[in-house]
Amino acid sequence: MTKKILIANELPDEARMIVPSDYQVDYNPSDVPMSKADFVARLADRDGLICHIISTVDDDVIAAAPGLEVIANVAVGFNNIDVPAARRRGIVVTNTPDVLTETTADFAWALLMAAARRIVEADQYARSGQWSAWKWNLLWGADVHGKTLGVIGFGRIGRAVARRAQGFGMRVLYYDTTPADLPTERDVHASRVDFDTLLRDSDFVTLHTLLSPETRHLINETALREMKRTAILVNASRGPVVDEAALVRALTESWIAGAGLDVFEDEPKIHPGLLPLKNVVLAPHIASASRDTRLAMATLAVRNCIAVLGGKPPITPVP
Ligand code: GLV
């Protein structure tokens, strides 16, 4: 039987070309999320779905597609999908780990460095015409080398971020519910500590955890008040891991020194309190957005979908 798939949003030609020619493909080339009504209607007779994080694949959507066998998310995070609802119906859910690890770690570092050394402010100042002479006390920032990096969520991306810290001669602490094995800890020179110790001792706190009920608002007012007043928070995981209203107060009232954020609680909305602040660097959820990595993610999602529809095990099922 001809397999029918829905590609819910824009996907590069290189990835779509892998779809076997006898598949019937409904492709929505837009980067705007479909309305729920459209999504449900277009998914109803499909065997496979390839989607981005902008597609909310909830219980209703899944229930409306009785023949669905696979949901292939083009992302490592999968909080846009009701995975238990899919599993109850025997639907396989896949994500795109590994291929984006290094690119995302690079970007977390870009945010960290930009926030520490005030790169965005410096760029704005240099362009503005205000720069009339070299100034001794212009745009002083924080050192990165030799400081303590605290990694919350010590999975693939957290470890890749930690590995980069060696080049800066940093001490690395991590917090995760599961300890890493000793060779991994040694490899990246990291020590596991409890949550409060990490917050209290780190100069930079970087978030790399999945969004779950346990991690929602993990960084709340209490956590922010525990951090050093000189600390910088980096979030390239999921927005709701941080209580954004509390973060606005922390940055405004100098409980912490700064932040670098790629993700937000209610994307694409950004808490209005963040926008005027100079001590926060903001990015529109682009940590994995290098050309090579986005292509690799798209290709892996298509391969996952085809594998399942071809009766094979998924390459990267969600854990
Ligand atoms: C991006 O946010 C991803 O989860 O891959």
Side-chain angles (χ1 to χ4, degrees), residues 53 74-77 96 100 237-238 285 288 297:
I53 53 172
V74 192
V76 67
T96 60
L100 49 61
S237 61
R238 283 293 183 265
H285 203 148
S288 66
M297 292 164 67

Side-chain angles (χ1 to χ4, degrees), residues 115 120-121 233 247 251 257-261 264 273-282:
V120 176
E121 280 179 88
L233 176 73
L247 178 61
L251 291 167
L261 307 174
F264 302 89
L274 288 171
L275 299 176
L277 299 181
K278 286 201 183 330
N279 55 348
V280 58
V281 176
L282 307 173

Side-chain angles (χ1 to χ4, degrees), residues 55-82:
S55 290
T56 301
V57 191
D58 60 18
D59 197 15
D60 302 339
V61 169
I62 295 170
L68 199 62
E69 292 175 51
V70 55
I71 301 168
N73 214 31
V74 192
V76 67
F78 45 85
N79 53 295
N80 56 311
I81 300 169
D82 186 338

Side-chain angles (χ1 to χ4, degrees), residues 138-170:
L138 185 61
L139 288 166
W140 283 9
D143 273 332
V144 174
H145 67 271
K147 295 292 180 76
T148 298
L149 176 70
V151 181
I152 295 184
F154 205 56
R156 285 172 289 251
I157 298 172
R159 291 171 195 194
V161 170
R163 197 174 321 114
R164 284 158 173 72
Q166 288 179 58
F168 288 86
M170 295 174 93

Side-chain angles (χ1 to χ4, degrees), residues 53 79 107 111 207 211 216-217 235-245 247-248 251 259-275 280-287:
I53 53 172
N79 53 295
F107 196 78
L111 288 175
L207 307 177
L211 175 61
R216 180 174 294 273
H217 285 193
N235 190 7
S237 61
R238 283 293 183 265
V241 175
V242 177
D243 176 346
E244 231 163 64
L247 178 61
V248 169
L251 291 167
L261 307 174
D262 185 44
V263 288
F264 302 89
E265 270 202 82
D266 188 18
E267 291 175 16
K269 293 196 194 110
I270 298 180
H271 191 296
L274 288 171
L275 299 176
V280 58
V281 176
L282 307 173
H285 203 148
I286 56 166

